[in-house]
Amino acid sequence: FIKKLLTFAVICSIFYIIIIIAILLVASSVGIINTFTSNLKERKKQIGLYRSVGATKKQIFTLFSREALLLSIICTPISLLISFVIVKLIVNTIFEEAFFTPNLWVLLLCGAFSMICVLIASSVSVLPATRVTPMQAIRNIEAVRKRLDSEIIGMEAEDIREIDNVLKEIDGTDNFSNIGGNTAVAVSMATAKA
């Protein structure tokens, strides 16, 4: 009976450890995705410049995936070393007579698993970055669309001059160099047609 109880306790402990590892894996992957997403948003003009000189989506993906690989190659040994030191300190603090030795295969497996997780998580952020067009990068089209939507939606279509004045105000220039002449003409023509 005691043997079965100990076996059940070991199985439960392994199950709880697997759950904790899965939660930590998801949390770290979300952190990696957020970090890469914000990094790539800051480098949107750079991506647009690469695209404007002829870089393909595959080349952009390869470029930033290699960057993620380089970061994981640098950070994985450092994280394994920090983990080793923390575990050793915890074991020595809790159990005075315990002896802790790392298993080389476990360390290599953890390192490989860590690098794979970083590459997969970074791919989630890199894929949308490959879809950036040069015009989106230069003019920040999403911000212009949001501003146009918030200012123009709800206005009367009969008041074309007022809509044109709002377009000039949003752009801030006389020649629509910020939002683009095509955008201004398209909004004006859509208003006239309505």
Side-chain angles (χ1 to χ4, degrees):
F1 175 75
I2 293 176
K3 210 175 203 181
K4 287 182 181 180
L5 187 61
L6 287 174
T7 304
F8 179 72
V10 168
I11 291 172
C12 286
S13 297
I14 291 172
F15 181 71
Y16 289 131
I17 289 171
I18 290 172
I19 289 175
I20 290 171
I21 289 171
I23 291 170
L24 290 173
L25 179 64
V26 168
S28 63
S29 295
V30 167
I32 292 167
I33 290 169
N34 286 337
T35 302
F36 265 88
T37 301
S38 66
N39 181 9
L40 292 173
K41 279 188 179 182
E42 291 174 4
R43 296 167 71 181
K44 193 172 188 178
K45 285 192 177 187
Q46 178 186 5
I47 295 169
L49 181 64
Y50 287 147
R51 295 281 302 190
S52 68
V53 295
T56 64
K57 292 178 181 182
K58 184 178 180 182
Q59 289 171 329
I60 300 284
F61 183 82
T62 303
L63 176 73
F64 289 106
S65 295
R66 285 182 182 166
E67 185 176 309
L69 178 64
L70 182 64
L71 285 171
S72 67
I73 288 171
I74 293 169
C75 294
T76 297
I78 295 169
S79 64
L80 288 175
L81 181 65
I82 291 170
S83 300
F84 170 75
V85 170
I86 289 172
V87 169
K88 188 163 179 105
L89 288 173
I90 290 172
V91 167
N92 289 341
T93 303
I94 295 175
F95 308 107
E96 291 179 10
E97 296 182 19
F99 185 71
F100 175 72
T101 56
N103 186 335
L104 180 64
W105 292 108
V106 171
L107 288 174
L108 291 175
L109 183 65
C110 288
F113 190 69
S114 171
M115 291 175 74
I116 290 169
C117 287
V118 168
L119 291 175
I120 291 172
S122 66
S123 295
V124 171
S125 299
V126 172
L127 282 174
T130 62
R131 297 185 192 109
V132 172
T133 64
M135 289 307 292
Q136 283 177 322
I138 293 169
R139 291 214 172 127
N140 198 3
I141 290 174
E142 294 89 17
V144 171
R145 283 185 183 153
K146 286 179 185 175
R147 181 115 189 259
L148 286 173
D149 288 348
S150 67
E151 298 279 338
I152 293 179
I153 290 180
M155 294 181 73
E156 294 296 324
E158 291 84 23
D159 199 2
I160 294 175
R161 290 197 188 276
E162 182 62 28
I163 290 176
D164 286 342
N165 289 335
V166 169
L167 286 171
K168 285 182 185 177
E169 181 184 318
I170 290 172
D171 183 74
T173 64
D174 289 334
N175 60 0
F176 296 107
S177 61
N178 287 331
I179 66 172
N182 290 340
T183 302
V185 169
V187 171
S188 292
M189 289 181 72
T191 304
K193 189 171 184 178

